[in-house]
Amino acid sequence: NTCTVASYYWIEPFAYSTQVQTIVATGSNWCESEVKTPFILSLTGAGDFWVNEEKITVTESLIIDSELMLAYTFNNGIYVNKGTSCVCNMTKLMLKPQNNNLITKSNGINSFSLTYRPTFFR
């Protein structure tokens, strides 16, 4: 009997920047990542918000984590699931890499903060 040793190819994981980037203005915003990148979006108010072509509709102030696919609030140290207060396709909520990302909002959204950690190939 002979024994065949399989060849294994290791795929290095992505590298994440140590500095978090934050977008607080509407319009065209550059993303320095090399791959599609999830984000955390904090919205104050109720209405519609767009990241590129993807529409997010919220009925109250929320935090949306597109990596974990969660919508929640954080009050007095407690996370509260608010998935029914948000309508969107979270699988498509990503920033385009090495590109301008168009951020727009309706009048009902008073303020927002979109944070992401730039992602690169190793």
Side-chain angles (χ1 to χ4, degrees), residues 5-22:
V5 177
S7 296
Y8 291 98
Y9 297 95
W10 296 99
I11 298 174
E12 299 250 347
F14 295 111
Y16 298 96
S17 172
T18 57
Q19 293 186 341
V20 172
Q21 301 295 319
T22 303

Side-chain angles (χ1 to χ4, degrees), residues 85-103:
S85 299
C86 175
V87 177
C88 65
N89 184 346
M90 285 206 193
T91 63
K92 294 188 175 185
L93 293 182
M94 296 277 190
L95 294 176
K96 295 186 288 187
Q98 304 271 307
N99 209 331
N100 286 319
N101 289 268
L102 184 59
I103 309 294

